[in-house]
Amino acid sequence: ESKVKRDVGKKGREVSKWAKLIGYAVIFIVNACMLFYVFLFAMRQTKFRQNAWFRSFMTWLGLDILLVGSMVVLISHFIIPSMIMRDLGKIKQRLLSNIQEYQAHLRSDAYNNAIKADDSNNFSSTDYLFVSSKIAHMEEFRHLTIAKIIAHFRTPWPKQSYQSVKDYSHSYKSKFTMLFSSMSNVLIFFLGSFIQLP
């Protein structure tokens, strides 16, 4: 419920009506030009080739709509979710049981006393290396529910960062990236044409 409220409260970047109209116009003009080019190409062919091209196009269109589209929807929206549905149900039940257990423990005074006793008897790296744990053990924050949950987490092992960040921005900001990409495409085209020569 809270996630829904957060998502509803978010406002995305608004696009002006003129920008939308220009985008729609560009897409319409490009499609119209392509269709006109295909029409001119078909008109210069013989009647037999026109019939064959039209039948192949209708066959492709029917297979794409009825067979390919249906299979994509069936696999991505039915088969794959049904394969992981049982595991997701188990994970949901485990999370709910853990949350209920936390809430039951936090309401009991014996649990809070056990945490204090555990703090004094057992070593935990969270007392020295975790900032959140230090804040949770402060007197002014100890009464908070989130502080009690954080204080429950204890481990002798130091934290490990899994946030490995690698900067690839320099490869995208290169001045000649587009030029090299275009030249490689042209080179591949000429090589393909050269190989097909008798």
Side-chain angles (χ1 to χ4, degrees), residues 59-167:
T59 303
W60 169 82
L61 185 63
L63 290 176
D64 185 67
I65 295 175
L66 299 177
L67 182 62
V68 178
S70 301
M71 291 301 297
V72 168
V73 171
L74 181 66
I75 292 173
S76 60
H77 294 278
F78 181 75
I79 295 178
I80 295 178
S82 63
M83 292 172 61
I84 64 174
M85 187 178 298
R86 183 176 300 175
D87 294 334
L88 289 177
K90 292 180 180 179
I91 294 172
K92 180 180 178 181
Q93 294 297 328
R94 181 67 179 272
L95 288 175
L96 290 176
S97 63
N98 288 339
I99 292 173
Q100 292 173 357
E101 183 181 357
Y102 269 125
Q103 292 177 349
H105 285 323
L106 291 175
R107 294 191 187 99
S108 62
D109 295 334
Y111 174 75
N112 297 328
N113 296 330
I115 289 180
K116 295 178 180 178
D118 190 53
D119 291 346
S120 59
N121 295 331
N122 298 329
F123 170 77
S124 177
S125 63
T126 58
D127 298 333
Y128 306 97
L129 302 177
F130 289 68
V131 179
S132 58
S133 181
K134 291 183 178 181
I135 295 175
H137 285 84
M138 293 181 177
E139 292 295 335
E140 56 267 28
F141 301 109
R142 191 184 290 267
H143 66 281
L144 298 176
T145 303
I146 187 65
K148 297 176 182 178
I149 295 175
I150 294 173
H152 175 71
F153 177 73
R154 301 184 62 78
T155 177
W157 311 109
K159 63 181 179 179
Q160 179 180 357
S161 176
Y162 296 95
Q163 298 178 353
S164 57
V165 179
K166 192 172 182 180
D167 187 13

Side-chain angles (χ1 to χ4, degrees), residues 164-174 177:
S164 57
V165 179
K166 192 172 182 180
D167 187 13
Y168 293 96
S169 59
H170 61 278
S171 61
Y172 294 104
K173 294 181 180 179
S174 178
T177 302

